[in-house]
Amino acid sequence: MKDVLSAQQNRFSTRKFQDKPLSNFELETLETAALNAPTAMNRQELRFSFVQNQDILSQINQKVYQDMEDRDPEAYRDFLKRMAERGTDSVFYGAPLVVMISGTPDQYSAVNAGIAVQNLALAAESLGLGSCIIGMIRVCFQPQDKDNLLALIGAEKDNVFHISIAIGYKATEKEPHSYNYDNIIHLY
């Protein structure tokens, strides 16, 4: 396993995964990483749906495509082009596991979900797995949409979707992003 600083420095968004399921050890390690994420006031309000069912992922993928086409046809064409350039038609890039994070709608849960998804990304990297944090699927889980897919991922009726992360064995390599030190502000 890699230490946390190496995992941070070497991680990149994986957009092509091998068709290989994760081991029980890897799944249990990722579950622990999700549950290890701190939450404001230790509320532990987040729910983690570990989705390996490709039919469920396909339904979500189809709803994303349909929503994109209905909402903004020009953006949809750009989206299709970007996906074709990446060699996929799945917003999950063929990942064998997608963890969907939902929770009660309060002032802290979105931040808590961000912390949890980073825990998962670093845990995946430390296990030698790839990951890609995916927020665009939130269109499938809007509470005002009577056809939302919250029940499909086992979320409670009053929960809101926050973010997801695709995880699996990497089928591609690339350099991690470069650093922009102009984003660091020192105050003495």
Side-chain angles (χ1 to χ4, degrees):
M1 286 192 177
K2 295 180 182 177
D3 67 75
V4 70
L5 293 177
S6 294
Q8 289 172 342
Q9 292 168 344
N10 294 316
R11 190 202 162 272
F12 61 87
S13 292
T14 302
R15 291 192 173 89
K16 188 172 184 181
F17 294 93
Q18 296 177 31
D19 183 17
K20 178 180 174 183
L22 302 184
S23 71
N24 287 337
F25 171 78
E26 291 161 334
L27 288 168
E28 290 168 6
T29 301
L30 292 166
E31 290 169 0
T32 301
L35 295 173
N36 276 337
T39 57
M41 299 181 286
N42 197 29
R43 295 193 58 221
Q44 300 182 32
E45 80 287 2
L46 299 177
R47 298 296 174 260
F48 303 94
S49 301
F50 277 64
V51 183
Q52 298 174 80
N53 183 313
Q54 294 299 311
D55 289 335
I56 292 172
L57 296 178
S58 178
Q59 287 179 58
I60 294 168
N61 188 62
Q62 289 172 10
K63 189 164 176 69
V64 168
Y65 273 76
Q66 188 62 56
D67 179 78
M68 181 74 96
E69 184 178 28
D70 293 346
R71 199 168 22 94
D72 189 344
E74 187 172 327
Y76 178 67
R77 284 189 294 279
D78 292 341
F79 169 71
L80 289 177
K81 180 180 176 190
R82 188 171 64 246
M83 296 305 279
E85 288 168 355
R86 291 176 174 165
T88 188
D89 61 358
S90 170
V91 296
F92 303 116
Y93 305 104
L97 169 68
V98 179
V99 181
M100 313 232 179
I101 304 174
S102 59
T104 55
D106 67 33
Q107 62 182 339
Y108 303 113
S109 63
V111 171
N112 292 341
I115 294 167
V117 81
Q118 181 69 355
N119 264 26
L120 285 163
L122 294 176
E125 182 65 30
S126 75
L127 291 167
L129 301 170
S131 66
C132 187
I133 297 170
I134 302 168
M136 74 179 303
I137 66 168
R138 73 175 39 93
V139 300
C140 298
F141 306 104
Q142 299 301 312
Q144 67 274 17
D145 177 0
K146 66 176 179 57
D147 296 321
N148 76 57
L149 301 178
L150 280 168
L152 189 64
I153 63 167
E156 299 292 324
K157 194 176 259 189
D158 65 340
N159 282 182
V160 295
F161 171 84
H162 291 296
I163 197 153
S164 67
I165 182 169
I167 300 174
Y169 292 94
K170 302 171 191 174
T172 185
E173 290 292 328
K174 71 177 194 178
E175 291 295 315
H177 69 81
S178 59
Y179 303 131
N180 182 354
Y181 286 98
D182 292 339
N183 292 333
I184 304 294
I185 301 167
H186 291 274
L187 303 172
Y188 299 101

